[in-house]
Structures are given as structure tokens and as C-alpha cells.
Amino acid sequence: MKYLTCLRTLLFMATLISSAVYAVAPTFPDGDDGYRLWLKYDSLEKSQSKKIHREIKSWHVAGDSATSAVIRKELHMALEGLVGGIAENERSFGKRSLLLATPEQVPALAEHIDSESLGDEGYTIKNLKLDGKALTVIAANTDVALLYGTFDFLRQLQLGKTPGELDLVSVPRIDVRTLNHWDNLDRHVERGYSGSSIWDWHKLPEYVYPHYYDYARANASLGINGTVLNNVNANALVITPHYLEKVKALADVFRPYGIKVYVSVKFSSPQLIGGLKTSDPLDPAVQQWWKDKADEIYDIIPDFGGFLVKANSEGQPGPGDFGRTHAEGANMLADALAPHGGIVMWRAFVYAHDKNEERSKQAYSEFKPLDGKFRKNILVQVKNGPIDFQPREPFSPLFGATPQTPMMMEFQVTMEYLGFSTHMVYLGTMYEEALQAETYAKGEGSTVARVVDGSLFNNSISGMAGVANIGTDRNWTGHPILQSNWYVFGRMAWDPDARADVIADEWIRQTLTREKKVVASIKDMMMRSREMTVDYMTPLGLHHLMATGHHYGPGPWVDNLGRDDWNPTYYHRADKNGIGLDRSPSGENAVEQYFSPLKEQFAKPETTPEEFLLWFHHLPWDYKIKSTGRTLWDELVHRYYQGAEDVKAMAAQWDTLEGKIDPLQFKQVQMALDIHVKEAYWWRNACVLYFQTFSKRPIPDGLEKPEGSLEEYKAMEFPYAPGRG
Ligand code: BDP
């Protein structure tokens, strides 16, 4: 008995201890890990679900291609999740069913749709009667377009619609809609902040991960139809037989999803892997080598997309090494690919070593004179701004300047210059700003969007590329909200006139919550987030103030790099008189590259939009800022402070969402915001303290002193910051 009591006491104490341990043990919320992206298909509200069941009794996919199989699988999964499942009718379509078909598969459809205007990728979703049966129809000319229609249909359901209400036509405005992966063959991702490369090159071609399929689904859901698998700073090996087998394995996975594979090639490949003595594009042996290489590639991958090329830029080889032009280099590759239907995306991100021209002007100087000299299967790929993916830049003056050469837009989706994957910055507003900018190339209405979609100059091909932010992180992009940048890129590549707020809204409702107030709050944060970033990093048109190499954090003081135009001091030009880079006619005259009336507007500080003031002008510290009446110095400081405070307020706003969205997603964003706030203040303090050494003016009244000392900030080093080039 005594023994038993003793045992009981012991057991009791053990329970107490273990529950105490349990109580204090740190816990981490369970929840949604973000892997499903915006394709979650969680159950819809009862009333909506009932209505859907009333409207659709069964569904039928008429085709029998690999793509049709993908559509079936997606519909099964999605309808199961959204409304508890709807039966597939494998043989035909009955009354009140959802029918997915091309007019070839169901000829009676022909009179109901305008096939010609849909092209190969457009689709329509509408309600109509066929053989006396009321149907909801997703119709298109190809199975891939039907897949796009399927994803739109599912998106509409998730946005609260029911099939009976749908009546839409959607045709992509841009032909080539690609992601660019800056992924190396060793799986390091240049400027990648979401883990390693999702391509496991070593295990390919035999080992194919499920995430390759989910990657394809996600892209197809946005209409992205191409992927460039490897870094623009290319490794020549990617087109050797060993790697082509691996590329083929990925192409096979992606084909049913309408996604073509492309690779970045090194211009000197004939020498590096071909054993030739030169890579001169006018040398017949070199031309033959590329032709043979193209034949070899298309033998293995018949629908291979083509090449992306970074040439004569940042140390990469190119035609310039042999005294040839970019057009001569690009044409040689285009000629090799043309018989197979392939294209060349030739980058205009060039700034030559030997040129003494201000950097923002060089791409235009190089490419404008080549207009009309490129083959028909070439797109020149231009970054949105004339420098390099900065938080804010005016649009590149190449847009609109080359009527005979299609300019393909290149956006950065990964956040190299925008705080990596811990700053919560929605880039939709930045993309929209660039695409909606007026070039005035053919008078008013000549927006960048119309240059890029080819409609302004009637180009026969058009394209948009996004440098991917995707990696092996479970949530793909390292930060739940940054998935929206992949999403908005894809949606704007489909429709360059789409609006950032509409897209943010639809992304939130599919990914995070459908609760109105919560949606509104998250959208509000997303929509303001990029402007805050501009404020705490590079307000008033400042740019390229990031630290050296990794670009993590502020480094406005850096002035010792190999090239003048790699130094932040080159860009801000702060001195005792003022700050900013004079690109007006009295300075570098970069404004001359823009059409009137922009060139006149940008020529004078009074008519330059404030957000570009220091991009185009070097102004005295006492210069009066029109919108606020403050001096330039006071305004600069105010903006730095405002940006940091806005981020802090955003973090507090996020905190109010606890319990209102998935706990794990909430927590992940909250933790990232802790870093974001800290780093916004770091940017603010470091930049203000540094610029103060020139302005010699006090921190404006009412603002606290920046914490820390400039010396401390300058001494900070981050040898292991991710994503290095
Ligand atoms: C710069 C990046 C560098 C890229 C380069 C490019 O820092 O890693 O290689 O752009 O676009 O912004 O080629």
C-alpha cells in the first residue's frame, strides 16, 4: 500500500513536471505552409456551393491529350475542395453541365464562338444551349487554352462567382510570357532568397520531383508559357548532351501545361565546349556550330523555345569581343533557331567597359542605331528602367525608340534591390507604374504597355520576362506575401493593362482569406508597401545606394569599386552643394533619349515629377520642394523617416490580423516584418547620417536623432548574405 501511494505520488509529480515542461516549451503554430500558393481550393461558402451544384450537375472534357488529362486532374481536385466534388461525365455532356472543348472536338460550338479572335491561347467562358442542353462552356481553339480557361473558371469560383454568371473572353496580349531563373547548375540562385534552385540538376533526368508539376500548374494558372531554366550569367555546359537530357526531362513535364523551356547560353560556347578557336558570329565555322547545336537540341526537344543571351555585359562574352554588333551576334543565333521555330531573347542590359558615357544612356546608344537590323525571331529584352531594377526608376527610353525591333519587358520579381525576402513589398504597383508610363513615341496613348504588347508598332512578336523569386523554400518564395509578386507578374504578362489593386485583391482572396475586412486591410498594406520602400531606401529619385556585391542594406558611402558606375557615390553625387545626378541638358543629357514632351519636362527640376527629382538633377540642399515647401534636405530626411515609420505601422497593422488568417502564415509574415522594421530603420539611419556629412544641416524639428553612428553602419559586413552574384 505504502509502495503504491509512493508510486502514485511519483507519477503525479512526473505528470506535473511534464505538463509544466509542456506549458513552457516554445510552440510554433500549425497551419498552412504556403505550398499550395493561390491554388488552395478550400471549401466555398455553403450558399455559393449549393448554387454551383444547382448550376452544374456534371462536367465533361472533350479532348484526350496530355493537356486534357491535366485539366481533368485539376478539375477533380479543385471541385472536390471547393464544393465537395462534382461528377465527371467521361463520355459526353448532359444537361446542366460544364463542357470544355474546342470547336474541332465539338463542332456545334463553332457558331457560338469567335474562333479567330481567340487565337491559340485565348478562351471564352459562357453559358449557352447546345443540342437543347443548357451548358456552361469553356471553349478555345487548343487544349492549352482550355487549361487557361479552366484556371480562370476556378479563379472566378474562388472570387465568389458561380458558373451561370460567367460570360468572358480572355486573350493574352503578349506572346512570350516567361520566367527567368537565375539558377546555376550547382543550385545556387543568383539573387535568390528562397532557398536553392528548384531544379535538381544532379538527379535529373531520372528523378523528377512533384514540385516540378506544381510549378507548372502555378505558371499555367497565370498563363506563363515559358521558362528560362538557368542564369543569364550562363554556364556553357547547359547545352552539352549531358545537360540537354536534363532539360528534356523538364520540358516533358512542362509540355502539357503549355510551357516551353528556354536556356541562357554563353556566347563563347563554340570555344568553351565546341573546341573552336573563335566565337566570331561572322565566322562560317561558328555559324555552322550553332546550327548543328540547334539541330541537336531540337532532335531532343522538338518544341524547345530558344535562347536568352546576356552578351558584352558585366564581363560576359559577346559579339563585341570580335568587333561585331549585338545585331550580328543575335542574328547568328536566330538563324540557327529559325528553321525550328525558336526565338532569341537578346538582353539590352549592357554597359560597356570602354565607353565613357553615363551608364543610364548606354543601352539606348547601343541598341537604337541597330533598329531594323535584327531578324524577325529576335526580341530585345530590356529591364524596366535604364539602370538596374531599382526600387524606382523612370522607364527605359528604349521603350518606344525602336519601331522595328520588338522590346521585351524584363521585370525583377526577386527582390535583389528591395530587401530580399524579408521585406514585404508588393511589386504590382511598380510594374503598373512602368507599364502605364507614357512614352509619347507616337503621341499620347503610347504607353510602355503598348510598346511591349507590340500594338504600338504592329510588331509580329511580343514578350515579357520576370526574374523569378522561386526556390526550394516550402512556400516557394521565402515569404508568403511575396508569392503575390509571382502572381502579379504572370497576370500582367497576360494583360499589361491589368491593375495592381485588382490583382492584389484576387490574389489575397485565393491565398489568404475571403473575409472582406481582412482582405481590405492586407490589400491596403500591399498597395502602399512599395512606396514605403522607396522612401526608406531611395527617396526622391535616388538610386543604387545598396551595399556592395550582395546589395544587402545601405552603402551610400561606397566609392572604391573597380568601375566608377558600380559605386553608389556615382549615382547620388552628394557634395556640400547638394545631391543628385545631373542628367539634364546641362549635365549628362540623358533626358534627350526621351520623346517630347518628356525630355523637356525632365530637363527642368520644376517640371520633373518629384519622385524622379534627384534622378535627373543635382540640386542644392536648400532647393524648395514644391509639394511640401520644405528644403530638399528637410524633405529627404522626412521621407526617410516616413518610410521607416510606415513600415512600423504596417507591422502593427499586421498584428491586428492575428486569429483572422491562417496562424502559420500570420506568424511567418509577422517574423519577417520584425526584420523589415529593423532594416527600414537601419536604412533610414545610415543614409540620413551619411548625407548629413555633406548637407551639414540638422535633423528637422520634431524628428528624433538617428540611432547609431555612421562609423558603425559603415563597419557592418555580411560576407554570407544570400544570393550573391
Ligand atoms: C544585376 C545583378 C546581377 C545580374 C545582372 C543582370 O546584380 O546579379 O547578373 O543584374 O541582370 O542587377 O544581368
Side-chain angles (χ1 to χ4, degrees), residues 182 190-191 233 310 314 347 349 383 388 416-417:
W182 286 0
E190 181 157 339
R191 314 311 175 183
N233 297 318
K310 172 175 177 176
E314 299 186 329
R347 295 178 89 226
F349 177 68
K383 292 187 182 184
D388 196 356
E416 174 183 2
Y417 297 98

Side-chain angles (χ1 to χ4, degrees), residues 26 32 66 68 132 147-148 171 181 190 218 220 228 237 242 283-284 314 329 351 366 382 414 537 576 609 629 654 706:
D32 188 339
S68 311
L147 177 64
Y148 294 151
V171 181
H181 290 268
E190 181 157 339
V228 185
L237 290 180
H242 179 65
D283 184 311
E314 299 186 329
Y351 53 105
E366 192 89 47
V382 196
T414 190
M537 283 189 182
K576 65 178 185 340
W654 185 264

Side-chain angles (χ1 to χ4, degrees), residues 274-528:
L276 301 194
K277 292 221 161 51
T278 176
S279 297
D280 180 351
L282 298 195
D283 184 311
V286 173
Q287 294 171 352
Q288 192 57 46
W289 188 87
W290 281 110
K291 284 205 167 107
D292 294 345
K293 185 48 80 181
D295 292 348
E296 179 190 343
I297 295 174
Y298 280 90
D299 248 3
I300 304 172
I301 309 162
D303 56 352
F304 179 71
F307 297 147
L308 171 64
V309 192
K310 172 175 177 176
N312 293 124
S313 164
E314 299 186 329
Q316 291 300 322
D321 306 348
F322 310 95
R324 314 298 182 195
T325 66
H326 283 281
E328 287 167 325
N331 288 344
M332 170 193 58
L333 297 176
D335 289 343
L337 295 169
H340 309 281
I343 61 164
V344 174
M345 296 168 286
W346 189 271
R347 295 178 89 226
F349 177 68
V350 300
Y351 53 105
H353 267 277
D354 43 1
K355 260 208 181 143
N356 223 358
E357 197 178 33
E358 194 271 304
R359 177 166 155 190
S360 78
K361 297 173 70 176
Q362 291 188 27
Y364 180 103
S365 303
E366 192 89 47
F367 281 85
K368 164 89 179 144
L370 297 176
D371 189 22
K373 302 219 159 76
F374 290 95
R375 297 281 192 269
K376 287 270 166 285
N377 57 335
I378 297 176
L379 284 149
V380 172
Q381 184 168 309
V382 196
K383 292 187 182 184
N384 58 290
I387 294 287
D388 196 356
F389 294 144
Q390 294 303 296
R392 172 167 275 131
E393 298 189 38
F395 69 87
S396 162
L398 268 173
F399 292 109
T402 59
Q404 299 176 68
T405 310
M407 288 284 146
M408 176 168 179
M409 172 63 85
E410 179 177 314
F411 283 128
Q412 197 168 44
V413 186
T414 190
M415 304 243 296
E416 174 183 2
Y417 297 98
L418 283 135
F420 296 8
S421 62
T422 46
H423 291 209
M424 177 171 144
V425 190
Y426 172 56
L427 298 177
T429 46
M430 184 169 101
Y431 302 160
E432 179 178 315
E433 183 176 296
L435 289 165
Q436 295 310 318
E438 268 291 0
T439 68
Y440 293 99
K442 283 169 85 178
E444 240 166 79
S446 311
T447 58
V448 170
R450 295 202 52 220
V451 174
V452 172
D453 75 7
S455 62
L456 193 67
F457 299 121
N458 245 327
N459 302 125
S460 55
I461 182 170
S462 57
M464 195 189 289
V467 180
N469 61 346
I470 299 162
T472 48
D473 277 5
R474 184 67 190 159
N475 64 14
W476 301 88
T477 57
H479 184 301
I481 300 288
L482 299 184
Q483 294 179 351
S484 65
N485 291 334
W486 177 3
Y487 186 90
V488 68
F489 163 74
R491 300 283 284 135
M492 286 192 178
W494 184 274
D495 175 7
D497 282 327
R499 295 297 146 154
D501 63 334
V502 175
I503 295 175
D505 190 88
E506 65 180 49
W507 176 79
I508 298 164
R509 286 158 72 192
Q510 293 170 91
T511 314
L512 297 175
T513 174
R514 296 183 194 127
E515 227 270 76
K516 264 197 186 144
K517 277 195 184 144
V518 186
V519 173
S521 176
I522 299 174
K523 186 163 111 182
D524 166 65
M525 291 184 252
M526 285 169 67
M527 288 301 290
R528 292 186 298 113

